[in-house]
Amino acid sequence: MAESAGEVREVLYEERRHASRPFSSDCLPLSLQQSNGADKGGFLSFLSARGERVAVAAGNQVTILRKEDDYQEPCGIFTNSSLVLYACGAWSESHDILGIVDDADVIYFIKANGEEITRITKRHLKISSTVIGLLAENDSEVQQSFFFTVLTSDGAFHHVEISQESSASIFPVNKSGLALKRQFPQNVFCFDYYPELSLLVVVGSITASGKSESCYISLWRKHQNLVLELIASTQFKGLYFERKGYAGHLAYPKVSISPKGDYIAALDMNGCLHIFKLDKETYSVTNFAFQGRTNSDGPLNACTDILVDIVDFTWWSDHVLTLAKQSGFVAMLDIVSGLKLIENEPVYSMPVLERVQKFEGHIFLLEGFSSEDRFGSSNSNRRTDDLHHGEQTPEDRSNQPDISRMCWNLVSLSERCVPEMYKILIGNSKHQAALEFSDRYQLDRDEVLKSQWLCSNQGIKDLNTFLSNIKDKVFVLSECVDKVGPSEEAVKALLAYGLQLTNFYKFSEQNNQKFGEIWDFRLARLQLLQFSDRLETFLGINMGRYCAFQLLEYSKFRVMPIDESAIALAESGKIGALNLLFKRHPYSLAPFMLDILAAIPETIPVRTYVQLLPGRSPPRFFIREEDWVECDKMVGFISNLPENQDIDNQIRTEPIAKQLLGSFWPSTAELAFWYKHRARDIDSYSGLLDNCLSLVGFACQKGVNELKQFHEDISYLHQLVYANENDAEISTSMSLVAWEQLSEYEKFRTMLDGCREENVVESLWNKAIPFMQKRSRRVSLATQEQIADGHSQVERTRSESFLVRWLKEISLVNKLDVCLMVIEEGCRELQSSGFFKDEVEVVDCALQCLYLFTVTDRWSTMAAILSKLPHKQDSGIFIGNLDQRCKVAEGHIEAGSLLAFYQVPKPMSYFLEAHSDEKGVKQIIRLILSKFIRQRPRRSDNEWADLWHDMQCLHEEAFPFLDLEYLLTEFCGGLLKAEKFSLARSYLKGTSSVALATEKAENLVIQAAREFFFSASSLAGSEIWKAKDCLNLFPSSRNVKAEANFIDALTVKLPNLGVTLLPMQFQQIKDPMEIIKMTIRNKAEAYLHVDELIEVAKLLGLSSLDEISGVQEAIAREAAGTGDLQLAYDLCLVLAKRGYGIIWDLCAAIARGPSLENLDTSSRKQLLGFALSHCDKESIGELLHAWKDLDMQVQCKTLMTLTGIDCPSFSVQGSSVFSLPDYGIQDIVDRKNSSVLVKGSSSADKRSHLNSIKNILSLVAKSPVVHGTDWELLLQENGKILSFAAVQLPWLLELTRKPEHCKKFTSGMIPGKQYVSVRTQVVITILSWLARNDFAPRDDLIASLVKSIIEPPVTEEEDVIGCSFLLNLVDAFSGVELIEEQLKTRENYLETCSIKNVRTTYSTLHNTGVDCEGAVQRRELLFRKFKEKNNAGTRVYSCS
């Protein structure tokens, strides 16, 4: 107890145990391994300023804990690789960094996760003194780095800054002033730092040896520059050094300033605690006079009783100390009052104490103990004699427990107020202590009683002891409602006690509140009543048993919606329990009745729960008597409550449900729907059709008559599913759903599936026919009603019955025997059997079935079906077209049997559509004949006659649309293919029923002969003679003769021409022209037989003019290819006159070729012109050049004729004169290379010849700049230029020099000038040749031409023409000189005026045309100038 302001206060605290971990053998603190435990070096705890982090140092391992998980699990562990002990440390809480110092003065900086940031040694600090302390600068604003201050034994501070990059900066303080004054203790035992006042308290000695028991406690102020200032000091006696040979030290030296800085406590090694008073105003330190006393106010000796035998201490508050005694007790001492504040002091093993700096009343205790310690973790069981740590002898220390089994435990003690302490005691289930605590502090005992009740078994005794004594009726009622007792009696007692409590809240005028707590009590009463009803139901379900293991089951059952419980019982198949549930809770289950019944397993027989099945009207329900709370007022209140499914289930008792729901029962339509759905589910999930049938049968018995047809359907399905052994093939595994989805007819068909001819009649009589009579009548009536109402939206009922439809369907799968049995049975007693409506229906059905059969080998069975039908004489049914249809069907059966006999089977339906496929029918006829021909042995004439009779029968019965002439034609063709020529001769003339036209007969013969011919394997084969014999049937026919000639051509004429071609080879050749070409190329000089080739071509069918021209073309090309150009020329000339354009290329080649007989220039031009008219685009340019060369040749020949000069001949080889071989002019014109023109000459002669030709060319043309080469190279590469320059150019130049040719006139080569001189013509020829070869003429050649044109007598037009030629001169002055010369020589006035005008125009044109870039622009300019002078226009020509 503590006395403050006249009052005594007891410390109330909560003890919480946190992490507990074993020591590692390699990291066990030396204090535990080597000492008696008094020295706590290496076994420490370091707390952050607010207690967010706790670091436990045990040897060389540091375990870091955090507040977030109540310090239970390590968030980081740091283990030093060296075996060291940690002496001191500090937390930088803002950065979550721990700084710690070991006994080797190495400083470690560690993250909260145990990761080491860096470490600093004395070498880094550059000090020789011992590190005695580490202070953390908790600056939350610093983000990039954190700061620590290191205190050394010489009194110096060293500022250390650690960055996030794990680098350190050290700033030591200059301590020279302290060293000079010798003020700082020489031997520092312990220290403490008070950051709020920046005060440092140090316990040390003046002398370096420190052996004196007189010590000093000094107070220092730390300044901004980390320099210490001594502000107070006092001396006291205490043991702070180890005595030699003495191992009985109790404590580790420690000094601590109280939380508010009013007191200082120092602990020496003997375990004696010294207390000092600190005056914060004068900063003086004085011994505190402590007077200890007991609770009975008796005085105690301070040093001998209270403040001795202490192993550790810390401040609880500013004047309360927490002391850890040697005995293990932890006491709290108020130093002001001198009283102990804890009555029952807790006991700990080797405790180490530290407080949270920022908060009073919050300390951590670290204890070390053996894992084999027989004490528990609770202080109440600890024995102080086993925790005694007095002086020990070496023998005692040798008997210490195994160190490897030691553990440490972290405990926190936190101050609590009275209410908090009360809650803690209750929360820890210390009920007796809590009751005593409540009595001491006058607290409400209800909380303890509630906790006792909640922690009890909640039986009857607990109810009477605890629950009945609780004053809080709301809590008591909630417990009665919510809790379930361990036994039936306990449950009933709780419910009864709850009902007793709520019995005081009956409806009355005084309790007429609309809202409030009273209604909550009434609702609780409803819950209690509901739980009571549920209990009775639960006991009934479980045969009155209520065991401990059923407690949880009942707890769920009473709050579970009653429908879910019922569904659970139904799913488990507990029909008896379900029946009980329906009897006790009928109104609650009524809305869910159908869902509950649907949950009953489908495999359970329906008779076991038939009493639960609903009928048309509901049964009578019996429920318990209503309680006072189950009245109309309560029903109204419940109706206005917000919807809450959980509460609704608990307050809706049966009387309440009855009033809320009223009379609830499903309608007949809903019941019918449910029964159908349930029956389908039973069949789908279990396949037990018996259960389905029973269910629907019971429903019909209970008045649901709408299910009678459904019951009938199930019965039919039941018959099919459970058929007897004889009808095993008829049975089916169809589900009820699938059966329902079938139409009435599909059900009928299913009844007959699998029937054979042996049992089909029985199945019809037993099942199918009765079903058909019922259902078809019902469908017909329903359809008639719809039609009568005018609302029918579907097809009217088909006129055909189910049986007819079924017979047609099985006919599609060719069940002829079944059809025969059904029709025979139906016709036996037609009126009474009920198979068919009447005779018309059975006949129509039989006919339809016959045409639906697809088999082609059961014609006798089909005939039997027809024979079973009622006969005409028996009744008058054959009305309308039925009689005709029967006759047609008989004919079709006969025709089908014939087709099957001749191996061309067809079904009956084929004959109905045969008329629309006449082509297919004809193919069948041909196929019959083909197979008849191929059969071996060969057919006789009688068999062929039978075939013709059968073909006539097919025509009459099945194929009347075929022409008899066609049948005879095909038959005769078959006879011919079968080589029945004599028999064919008679049929080709016709029969009694049909005659064959002569032309058709001839075509048949020709076609058959061709088939024989083309099937021959050789020209001497028998097929050739068969073809000829076949053609001999009509020897006088023109067409037949032509065919015989064709055979003769292929077998006789072609071999004579050297070509042997087999008929099959000829047939593979599509174009007969290929045969002609083959004939021409096959034998040398075969092309010379032109007439024979044309004749053979005509025999092969090439008779048109174009085809004959094609033959001549092939001959001409072959002749040209072999060198017979004369024959090729003759044929080309004929074809050209005929206009056969395909031959143009050969015509062009001959026209440009060597001289031939009758091939003059005119003929060449004719052929070349024909080629130009028909050639392709790519050849036009080449042919035009050829035409120009030919034109040049004509001009040269014309000049030779005019002048009488013979064609020059330079045949002297090797002479100095240029010599050429003996080539014609056309050959020389066509030459591309000059090497052939100078062959046979030596190299020196070739050089001489080329030089001569170059000199000749240089006289008329400028250097060949356009060609980009010189004369020599050009002449070597181009033979045409060389030949013309060597042969033609010399004599042409010679003609220009002879004066006698200047006055001879010829009809004009110049447009507009009727006569020109030979000289002019020669010059024009030379200029034309130069222009064609892209050579620029020399000015003197142009001037020579102009002189010949404007030489008097001359007209004005001739002067204009000459002027136009003058514009091509390179040297314009030479043109002026020529004009001036004419002015001097002319005597006629008009001619003189004309030449003057020419001079003026020439000068103007020349000056204007300086800017003209080409000949085209100069020509346009010339035309424009003369047009200005002569409006009539003048035609202007230029050589450019």
Side-chain angles (χ1 to χ4, degrees), residues 497-520:
Y497 189 74
L499 291 173
Q500 179 183 347
L501 285 178
T502 57
N503 211 26
F504 298 101
Y505 303 98
K506 292 183 179 181
F507 293 98
S508 63
E509 295 182 359
Q510 292 80 9
N511 296 332
N512 198 19
Q513 303 174 8
K514 294 184 179 180
F515 301 99
E517 189 181 58
I518 189 173
W519 287 100
D520 295 335

Side-chain angles (χ1 to χ4, degrees), residues 894-951:
E894 184 178 358
S897 61
L898 287 175
L899 290 179
F901 175 76
Y902 288 110
Q903 301 178 11
V904 190
K906 292 293 178 181
M908 278 284 287
S909 59
Y910 177 78
F911 300 108
L912 293 177
E913 303 294 334
H915 64 278
S916 62
D917 187 19
E918 184 176 349
K919 183 178 180 181
V921 174
K922 291 180 178 180
Q923 183 67 28
I924 291 175
I925 299 299
R926 288 191 290 269
L927 188 58
I928 292 174
L929 290 169
S930 176
K931 290 186 175 183
F932 195 78
I933 294 170
R934 290 197 302 269
Q935 287 182 354
R936 291 291 181 268
R938 298 180 63 181
R939 300 288 186 169
S940 64
D941 291 351
N942 291 331
E943 289 175 323
W944 278 98
D946 293 339
L947 174 61
W948 172 243
H949 178 269
D950 292 339
M951 290 179 66

Side-chain angles (χ1 to χ4, degrees), residues 278-299:
L278 173 61
D279 190 345
K280 289 184 288 187
E281 295 181 356
T282 61
Y283 290 104
S284 61
V285 179
T286 58
N287 287 315
F288 179 70
F290 173 73
Q291 294 294 330
R293 59 194 178 99
T294 63
N295 290 339
S296 59
D297 294 334

Side-chain angles (χ1 to χ4, degrees), residues 139-154:
D139 187 1
S140 60
E141 297 179 358
V142 180
Q143 298 295 331
Q144 299 299 325
S145 59
F146 48 90
F147 303 92
F148 283 87
T149 302
V150 180
L151 176 62
T152 56
S153 60
D154 58 356

